[in-house]
């Protein structure tokens, strides 16, 4: 009987203990549902970066197409077949260098024939000069003789030694001599002879120029990029027979919005990069068009850069980055740290020295999409720590919860670590 009563007592104590444990569990569960210590103090792992003071640039990045600095697509002035080439596609040439010839035997003969014209005209001109000089000299002598005769008759007439008829005859002779002299002076002008000589020289120069058109020379220094016709072929009228490009400097031509173009000026630094290739080439803005393209309502901008090794090729599509503005002493943060609320307010999550998080409203300025940074013009000072990875989760928490959140700062992963994973 005693053993049985003891068993009942032990069973009752066990039941009461279980009931107490269940009640305690229910109480703890209710506290947790109302925001107890476990949920009120969550732990969030984040990565941080510093709001540093330094330079930042506002860049205009866009696509562009490469062109040579200078180009000459040579179209012959005469239609004739190709006689000979002295250069090949890819050959370097100098300005004035003979690159090829067209057939021009008939033009050469015409040029040689025309050279006789100036010689004949020159001989005629010299003969005319001599004859005119002699005629003028004789007319001057006759005029002087007539003048003396008239002067003598006039003096005698005053003394009554000669009649009025004699004086009239002397006057007529003097007038005739003067007219002859004036005519000789006009003939000595030789304008007609000079015109004939110049016309003959012009014909010769024209024939020489026409024959010269069969010689194909380069107007610029550069590289032969196209030579579509072979010896014996006759190029179509108006068709280039050879193209030379100066690729020592390359020009990237881009079209950008009017507002962006307004912030650029000639001389602004820029870079040219080929998609898929490492590195970029430094250059400068060479042109900001003063006119707007009527079709696209954009502004054409040129970026010129050296190309000594010919790595950049005309016709390639490239990416240009032009520096429109530079702020030398700005507060700069990573773009990943910047958050925007639904009502358009910019903010960041800042950690104090104890890693306690808080929200800060900020005003931003320049964005640099290449370096993934942004300028903060108000709200942060240099040196403050801002959350990058994990900032979005923290921003969604209410302020009371955020104040109790425990922060675990994780060092950013290195590229090698990402590869190992």
């Amino acid at each position: 009987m005693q053993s049985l009563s003891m068993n009942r007592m032990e069973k009752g104590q066990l039941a009461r203990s279980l009931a107490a444990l269940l009640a305690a569990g229910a109480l703890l569960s209710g506290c947790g549902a109302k925001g107890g210590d476990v949920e009120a103090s969550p732990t969030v792992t984040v990565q941080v970066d510093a709001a540093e003071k330094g330079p930042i640039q506002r860049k205009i990045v866009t696509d562009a197409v490469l062109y040579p600095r200078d180009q000459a697509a040579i179209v012959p002035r005469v239609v004739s077949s190709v006689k000979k080439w002295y250069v090949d596609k890819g050959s370097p040439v100098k300005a004035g260098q003979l690159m090829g010839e067209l057939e021009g035997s008939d033009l050469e003969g015409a040029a040689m024939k025309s050279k006789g014209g100036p010689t004949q005209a020159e001989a005629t001109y010299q003969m005319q000069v001599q004859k005119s000089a002699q005629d003028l000299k004789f007319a001057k002598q006759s005029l002087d003789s007539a003048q003396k005769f008239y002067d003598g008759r006039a003096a005698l007439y005053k003394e009554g030694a000669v009649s009025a008829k004699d004086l009239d005859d002397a006057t007529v002779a003097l007038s005739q001599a003067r007219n002859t002299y004036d005519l000789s002076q006009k003939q000595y002008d030789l304008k007609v002879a000079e015109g004939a000589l110049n016309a003959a020289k012009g014909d010769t120069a024209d024939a020489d120029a026409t024959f010269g058109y069969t010689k194909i020379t380069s107007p610029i220094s550069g590289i032969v990029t196209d030579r579509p016709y072979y010896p014996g072929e006759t190029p179509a009228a108006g068709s280039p027979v050879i193209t030379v490009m100066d690729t020592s400097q390359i020009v990237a031509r881009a079209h950008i919005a009017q507002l962006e173009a307004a912030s650029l000026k000639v001389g602004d630094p820029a870079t040219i990069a080929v998609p898929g290739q490492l590195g970029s080439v430094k250059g400068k803005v060479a042109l900001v068009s003063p006119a707007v393209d009527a079709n696209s309502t954009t502004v054409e901008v040129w970026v010129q850069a050296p190309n000594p090794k010919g790595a950049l090729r005309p016709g390639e599509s490239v990416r240009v980055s032009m520096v429109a503005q530079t702020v030398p002493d700005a507060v700069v943060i990573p773009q990943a740290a910047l958050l925007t609320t639904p009502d358009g307010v910019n903010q960041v999550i800042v950690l104090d020295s104890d890693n306690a998080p808080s929200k800060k409203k900020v005003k931003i300025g320049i964005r640099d999409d290449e370096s993934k940074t942004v300028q903060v013009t108000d709200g942060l000072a240099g040196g403050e720590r801002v959350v990058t990875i994990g900032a979005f989760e923290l921003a969604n928490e209410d302020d009371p919860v955020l104040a109790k959140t425990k922060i675990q700062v994780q060092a950013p992963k290195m590229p090698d670590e990402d590869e190992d994973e």
Side-chain angles (χ1 to χ4, degrees):
M1 294 291 293
Q2 185 177 1
S3 176
L4 180 59
S5 63
M6 289 296 293
N7 288 336
R8 288 177 177 175
M9 184 180 297
E10 288 175 357
K11 289 181 179 179
Q13 290 176 350
L14 180 60
R16 287 192 294 269
S17 298
L18 289 173
L21 289 173
L22 290 172
L27 179 61
L28 290 174
S29 176
C31 292
K34 295 179 181 179
D37 293 340
V38 175
E39 292 189 7
S41 301
T43 299
V44 178
T45 301
V46 301
Q47 291 183 11
V48 300
D49 208 329
E52 299 179 343
K53 276 200 168 185
I56 189 170
Q57 296 176 328
R58 184 162 71 89
K59 299 175 182 177
I60 299 172
V61 182
T62 186
D63 295 324
V65 177
L66 292 182
Y67 290 82
R69 178 175 67 174
D70 201 0
Q71 174 177 317
I74 301 171
V75 178
R77 299 286 295 273
V78 295
V79 178
S80 183
S81 61
V82 176
K83 180 179 180 181
K84 187 176 183 181
W85 288 117
Y86 301 108
V87 294
D88 295 317
K89 193 173 182 178
S91 298
V93 295
K94 298 291 184 181
Q97 179 177 334
L98 180 63
M99 299 184 294
E101 296 182 50
L102 302 178
E103 289 291 349
S105 300
D106 54 338
L107 298 176
E108 184 179 13
M112 293 181 63
K113 181 179 180 180
S114 68
K115 294 185 186 301
T119 302
Q120 184 177 357
E122 179 69 27
T124 302
Y125 175 76
Q126 293 299 333
M127 291 176 59
Q128 186 67 31
V129 167
Q130 293 177 3
K131 181 178 182 303
S132 297
Q134 291 176 353
D135 291 346
L136 182 62
K137 181 179 179 181
F138 178 76
K140 185 65 169 65
Q141 292 175 348
S142 298
L143 177 61
D144 292 342
S145 177
Q147 184 67 49
K148 286 182 180 181
F149 183 76
Y150 172 80
D151 292 341
R153 284 290 182 268
L156 292 174
Y157 179 75
K158 289 181 179 180
E159 295 175 356
V162 295
S163 64
K165 182 178 181 304
D166 293 332
L167 180 60
D168 291 340
D169 292 340
T171 301
V172 172
L174 177 60
S175 177
Q176 291 175 344
R178 184 174 288 112
N179 291 336
T180 301
Y181 178 73
D182 291 342
L183 181 61
S184 298
Q185 279 187 315
K186 291 179 180 179
Q187 291 177 343
Y188 191 71
D189 196 10
L190 300 177
K191 289 183 178 179
V192 175
E194 287 179 356
L197 177 59
N198 290 334
K201 290 181 178 179
D203 291 340
T204 300
D206 182 64
D208 288 342
T210 303
F211 174 63
Y213 293 148
T214 62
K215 311 292 184 181
I216 302 173
T217 59
S218 177
I220 62 173
S221 297
I223 302 292
V224 176
T225 58
D226 194 20
R227 203 203 69 185
Y229 296 99
Y230 292 92
E233 293 183 322
T234 301
S239 175
V241 294
I242 193 168
T243 301
V244 179
M245 292 184 181
D246 178 4
T247 58
S248 61
Q249 296 273 334
I250 206 74
V251 177
R253 300 183 186 180
H255 287 81
I256 62 176
Q258 300 177 47
L259 186 61
E260 291 179 327
S263 63
L264 290 173
K265 63 182 182 299
V266 173
D268 283 343
T271 58
I272 301 174
V274 179
Q277 297 184 13
L278 297 177
S280 59
V281 178
K282 293 182 178 179
K284 291 184 178 181
V285 175
L287 170 73
V288 179
S289 177
V292 176
D293 185 273
N295 296 322
S296 63
T297 66
T298 58
V299 177
E300 186 175 35
V301 177
W302 292 7
V303 172
Q304 186 168 328
N307 188 36
K309 296 182 180 179
L312 298 175
R313 295 179 174 85
E316 280 186 310
S317 295
V318 295
R319 194 78 170 163
V320 294
S321 175
M322 300 164 282
V323 178
Q325 182 184 0
T326 300
V327 178
D329 189 23
V331 177
V332 180
I333 64 172
Q335 290 185 6
L338 183 65
L339 303 167
T340 304
T341 64
D343 54 355
V345 177
N346 293 314
Q347 64 179 9
V348 295
I349 305 298
V350 179
L351 299 184
D352 62 14
S353 57
D354 296 326
N355 287 343
S358 62
K359 300 176 184 177
K360 272 194 173 183
K361 294 180 180 180
V362 294
K363 293 181 179 179
I364 62 172
I366 295 174
R367 289 179 180 265
D368 186 349
D369 292 329
E370 286 189 333
S371 64
K372 303 300 181 183
T373 57
V374 61
Q375 176 195 11
V376 176
T377 59
D378 186 33
L380 282 180
E384 294 184 83
R385 293 186 303 159
V386 294
V387 177
T388 54
I389 296 178
F392 181 76
E393 290 79 359
L394 295 176
N396 288 332
E397 292 185 358
D398 294 333
D399 291 343
V401 177
L402 181 63
K404 296 179 181 181
T405 301
K406 294 180 180 180
I407 299 298
Q408 181 178 349
V409 178
Q410 181 186 55
K413 293 182 180 181
M414 301 302 291
D416 292 341
E417 296 177 357
D418 293 336
E419 292 177 0
D420 293 340
E421 293 180 358

Short mmCIF file of all heavy atoms in Angstrom, two decimals, residues 230-266:
data_model
loop_
_atom_site.label_atom_id
_atom_site.label_comp_id
_atom_site.label_asym_id
_atom_site.label_seq_id
_atom_site.Cartn_x
_atom_site.Cartn_y
_atom_site.Cartn_z
N TYR A 230 43.07 47.07 -110.72
CA TYR A 230 44.34 46.48 -111.13
C TYR A 230 44.80 47.12 -112.44
O TYR A 230 44.00 47.70 -113.18
CB TYR A 230 44.17 44.97 -111.31
CG TYR A 230 43.93 44.23 -110.01
CD1 TYR A 230 42.62 44.00 -109.57
CD2 TYR A 230 44.99 43.79 -109.24
CE1 TYR A 230 42.39 43.31 -108.38
CE2 TYR A 230 44.77 43.11 -108.04
CZ TYR A 230 43.46 42.88 -107.62
OH TYR A 230 43.24 42.23 -106.45
N PRO A 231 46.11 46.99 -112.76
CA PRO A 231 46.60 47.51 -114.04
C PRO A 231 45.81 46.94 -115.22
O PRO A 231 45.53 45.74 -115.27
CB PRO A 231 48.06 47.05 -114.06
CG PRO A 231 48.45 46.98 -112.61
CD PRO A 231 47.21 46.49 -111.92
N GLY A 232 45.43 47.83 -116.12
CA GLY A 232 44.63 47.43 -117.28
C GLY A 232 43.15 47.72 -117.10
O GLY A 232 42.44 47.83 -118.10
N GLU A 233 42.69 47.83 -115.87
CA GLU A 233 41.28 48.14 -115.63
C GLU A 233 41.05 49.64 -115.74
O GLU A 233 41.92 50.45 -115.40
CB GLU A 233 40.85 47.65 -114.25
CG GLU A 233 40.84 46.14 -114.10
CD GLU A 233 40.33 45.71 -112.74
OE1 GLU A 233 40.64 46.38 -111.74
OE2 GLU A 233 39.63 44.69 -112.68
N THR A 234 39.87 50.00 -116.22
CA THR A 234 39.50 51.41 -116.37
C THR A 234 38.48 51.77 -115.30
O THR A 234 37.35 51.27 -115.31
CB THR A 234 38.91 51.69 -117.75
OG1 THR A 234 39.87 51.33 -118.76
CG2 THR A 234 38.55 53.16 -117.90
N PRO A 235 38.86 52.62 -114.37
CA PRO A 235 37.92 53.01 -113.31
C PRO A 235 36.75 53.79 -113.88
O PRO A 235 36.87 54.53 -114.87
CB PRO A 235 38.76 53.91 -112.39
CG PRO A 235 40.19 53.57 -112.71
CD PRO A 235 40.19 53.21 -114.17
N ALA A 236 35.60 53.62 -113.27
CA ALA A 236 34.42 54.37 -113.68
C ALA A 236 34.61 55.84 -113.35
O ALA A 236 35.31 56.21 -112.39
CB ALA A 236 33.19 53.84 -112.97
N ALA A 237 34.02 56.71 -114.16
CA ALA A 237 34.14 58.14 -113.94
C ALA A 237 33.60 58.50 -112.56
O ALA A 237 32.51 58.08 -112.18
CB ALA A 237 33.39 58.91 -115.02
N GLY A 238 34.39 59.27 -111.82
CA GLY A 238 33.97 59.69 -110.49
C GLY A 238 34.25 58.68 -109.40
O GLY A 238 33.88 58.90 -108.25
N SER A 239 34.90 57.55 -109.76
CA SER A 239 35.17 56.50 -108.78
C SER A 239 36.59 56.65 -108.24
O SER A 239 37.54 56.81 -109.01
CB SER A 239 35.00 55.13 -109.42
OG SER A 239 35.37 54.11 -108.52
N PRO A 240 36.79 56.59 -106.90
CA PRO A 240 38.15 56.66 -106.35
C PRO A 240 38.98 55.47 -106.79
O PRO A 240 38.50 54.33 -106.78
CB PRO A 240 37.92 56.65 -104.83
CG PRO A 240 36.50 57.04 -104.63
CD PRO A 240 35.77 56.53 -105.84
N VAL A 241 40.23 55.74 -107.15
CA VAL A 241 41.12 54.66 -107.57
C VAL A 241 42.04 54.23 -106.44
O VAL A 241 42.61 53.13 -106.49
CB VAL A 241 41.95 55.08 -108.80
CG1 VAL A 241 41.06 55.31 -110.00
CG2 VAL A 241 42.79 56.32 -108.50
N ILE A 242 42.20 55.06 -105.44
CA ILE A 242 43.06 54.73 -104.30
C ILE A 242 42.66 55.63 -103.13
O ILE A 242 42.24 56.78 -103.34
CB ILE A 242 44.56 54.90 -104.65
CG1 ILE A 242 45.44 54.24 -103.59
CG2 ILE A 242 44.92 56.36 -104.86
CD1 ILE A 242 46.89 54.12 -104.03
N THR A 243 42.74 55.11 -101.91
CA THR A 243 42.39 55.86 -100.71
C THR A 243 43.55 55.83 -99.73
O THR A 243 44.12 54.76 -99.47
CB THR A 243 41.13 55.27 -100.04
OG1 THR A 243 40.05 55.31 -100.97
CG2 THR A 243 40.75 56.07 -98.80
N VAL A 244 43.87 57.00 -99.20
CA VAL A 244 44.95 57.14 -98.21
C VAL A 244 44.35 57.72 -96.94
O VAL A 244 43.59 58.69 -96.99
CB VAL A 244 46.08 58.04 -98.73
CG1 VAL A 244 47.18 58.19 -97.68
CG2 VAL A 244 46.66 57.48 -100.02
N MET A 245 44.68 57.12 -95.79
CA MET A 245 44.21 57.62 -94.50
C MET A 245 45.39 57.93 -93.59
O MET A 245 46.36 57.16 -93.54
CB MET A 245 43.31 56.58 -93.81
CG MET A 245 41.98 56.35 -94.48
SD MET A 245 40.97 55.19 -93.52
CE MET A 245 39.50 55.08 -94.54
N ASP A 246 45.27 59.04 -92.89
CA ASP A 246 46.25 59.39 -91.85
C ASP A 246 45.69 58.89 -90.53
O ASP A 246 44.80 59.50 -89.94
CB ASP A 246 46.47 60.90 -91.81
CG ASP A 246 47.45 61.30 -90.72
OD1 ASP A 246 48.00 60.41 -90.05
OD2 ASP A 246 47.67 62.51 -90.53
N THR A 247 46.20 57.74 -90.06
CA THR A 247 45.72 57.15 -88.81
C THR A 247 46.67 57.38 -87.65
O THR A 247 46.55 56.73 -86.61
CB THR A 247 45.50 55.63 -88.99
OG1 THR A 247 46.73 55.02 -89.40
CG2 THR A 247 44.42 55.37 -90.04
N SER A 248 47.65 58.29 -87.80
CA SER A 248 48.53 58.60 -86.68
C SER A 248 47.75 59.22 -85.53
O SER A 248 48.14 59.12 -84.37
CB SER A 248 49.65 59.54 -87.13
OG SER A 248 49.10 60.78 -87.60
N GLN A 249 46.65 59.88 -85.88
CA GLN A 249 45.68 60.37 -84.89
C GLN A 249 44.33 59.80 -85.30
O GLN A 249 44.03 59.67 -86.48
CB GLN A 249 45.62 61.91 -84.89
CG GLN A 249 46.91 62.59 -84.45
CD GLN A 249 46.97 62.76 -82.94
OE1 GLN A 249 45.95 62.83 -82.27
NE2 GLN A 249 48.17 62.82 -82.40
N ILE A 250 43.53 59.43 -84.30
CA ILE A 250 42.23 58.86 -84.57
C ILE A 250 41.16 59.76 -83.97
O ILE A 250 41.39 60.42 -82.96
CB ILE A 250 42.12 57.42 -83.99
CG1 ILE A 250 41.10 56.60 -84.78
CG2 ILE A 250 41.85 57.44 -82.52
CD1 ILE A 250 41.58 56.16 -86.13
N VAL A 251 40.01 59.82 -84.62
CA VAL A 251 38.92 60.68 -84.16
C VAL A 251 37.69 59.82 -83.93
O VAL A 251 37.22 59.12 -84.84
CB VAL A 251 38.60 61.79 -85.18
CG1 VAL A 251 37.41 62.62 -84.70
CG2 VAL A 251 39.81 62.68 -85.39
N ALA A 252 37.18 59.86 -82.70
CA ALA A 252 35.94 59.17 -82.36
C ALA A 252 34.80 60.18 -82.43
O ALA A 252 34.80 61.18 -81.72
CB ALA A 252 36.03 58.56 -80.96
N ARG A 253 33.83 59.90 -83.29
CA ARG A 253 32.70 60.81 -83.47
C ARG A 253 31.47 60.23 -82.77
O ARG A 253 31.07 59.10 -83.06
CB ARG A 253 32.41 61.03 -84.95
CG ARG A 253 33.58 61.63 -85.73
CD ARG A 253 33.19 61.90 -87.17
NE ARG A 253 34.33 62.34 -87.97
CZ ARG A 253 34.27 62.65 -89.26
NH1 ARG A 253 33.09 62.55 -89.90
NH2 ARG A 253 35.35 63.04 -89.91
N ALA A 254 30.90 61.02 -81.88
CA ALA A 254 29.74 60.58 -81.11
C ALA A 254 28.64 61.62 -81.21
O ALA A 254 28.90 62.80 -81.52
CB ALA A 254 30.12 60.37 -79.64
N HIS A 255 27.42 61.20 -80.96
CA HIS A 255 26.26 62.10 -80.92
C HIS A 255 25.64 62.00 -79.53
O HIS A 255 25.27 60.91 -79.08
CB HIS A 255 25.23 61.73 -82.00
CG HIS A 255 25.67 62.08 -83.38
ND1 HIS A 255 26.53 61.29 -84.11
CD2 HIS A 255 25.38 63.15 -84.17
CE1 HIS A 255 26.75 61.85 -85.28
NE2 HIS A 255 26.06 62.97 -85.35
N ILE A 256 25.55 63.15 -78.85
CA ILE A 256 25.05 63.16 -77.48
C ILE A 256 23.93 64.18 -77.35
O ILE A 256 23.71 65.02 -78.24
CB ILE A 256 26.17 63.48 -76.47
CG1 ILE A 256 26.74 64.89 -76.73
CG2 ILE A 256 27.28 62.44 -76.55
CD1 ILE A 256 27.79 65.31 -75.71
N ALA A 257 23.23 64.11 -76.23
CA ALA A 257 22.11 65.03 -75.99
C ALA A 257 22.61 66.46 -75.87
O ALA A 257 23.75 66.73 -75.47
CB ALA A 257 21.37 64.62 -74.71
N GLN A 258 21.74 67.40 -76.21
CA GLN A 258 22.12 68.81 -76.20
C GLN A 258 22.55 69.28 -74.81
O GLN A 258 23.50 70.05 -74.67
CB GLN A 258 20.95 69.66 -76.69
CG GLN A 258 20.49 69.33 -78.10
CD GLN A 258 19.29 70.14 -78.53
OE1 GLN A 258 19.24 71.35 -78.34
NE2 GLN A 258 18.29 69.46 -79.10
N LEU A 259 21.86 68.82 -73.77
CA LEU A 259 22.18 69.23 -72.41
C LEU A 259 23.57 68.75 -72.01
O LEU A 259 24.33 69.49 -71.36
CB LEU A 259 21.13 68.69 -71.43
CG LEU A 259 21.26 69.15 -69.97
CD1 LEU A 259 21.14 70.67 -69.89
CD2 LEU A 259 20.20 68.47 -69.10
N GLU A 260 23.92 67.53 -72.39
CA GLU A 260 25.25 67.02 -72.09
C GLU A 260 26.32 67.76 -72.88
O GLU A 260 27.39 68.08 -72.37
CB GLU A 260 25.31 65.53 -72.39
CG GLU A 260 24.48 64.67 -71.46
CD GLU A 260 24.56 63.20 -71.81
OE1 GLU A 260 24.70 62.89 -73.02
OE2 GLU A 260 24.51 62.36 -70.89
N ALA A 261 26.03 68.06 -74.14
CA ALA A 261 27.00 68.77 -74.98
C ALA A 261 27.28 70.17 -74.46
O ALA A 261 28.39 70.68 -74.62
CB ALA A 261 26.49 68.84 -76.42
N ALA A 262 26.29 70.78 -73.82
CA ALA A 262 26.48 72.13 -73.29
C ALA A 262 27.53 72.19 -72.20
O ALA A 262 28.12 73.25 -71.95
CB ALA A 262 25.15 72.67 -72.77
N SER A 263 27.80 71.05 -71.55
CA SER A 263 28.79 71.04 -70.47
C SER A 263 30.19 70.70 -70.95
O SER A 263 31.13 70.70 -70.16
CB SER A 263 28.37 70.03 -69.40
OG SER A 263 28.33 68.72 -69.93
N LEU A 264 30.35 70.41 -72.25
CA LEU A 264 31.66 70.07 -72.80
C LEU A 264 32.27 71.25 -73.53
O LEU A 264 31.56 72.11 -74.05
CB LEU A 264 31.53 68.90 -73.76
CG LEU A 264 31.21 67.52 -73.17
CD1 LEU A 264 30.95 66.52 -74.29
CD2 LEU A 264 32.34 67.04 -72.28
N LYS A 265 33.60 71.23 -73.59
CA LYS A 265 34.31 72.24 -74.37
C LYS A 265 35.55 71.60 -74.99
O LYS A 265 36.03 70.56 -74.53
CB LYS A 265 34.71 73.43 -73.49
CG LYS A 265 35.66 73.11 -72.37
CD LYS A 265 35.94 74.34 -71.52
CE LYS A 265 36.94 74.06 -70.42
NZ LYS A 265 36.45 73.03 -69.49
N VAL A 266 36.07 72.23 -76.01
CA VAL A 266 37.25 71.72 -76.68
C VAL A 266 38.42 71.71 -75.70
O VAL A 266 38.66 72.69 -74.99
CB VAL A 266 37.59 72.57 -77.92
CG1 VAL A 266 38.92 72.14 -78.53
CG2 VAL A 266 36.48 72.46 -78.96
#
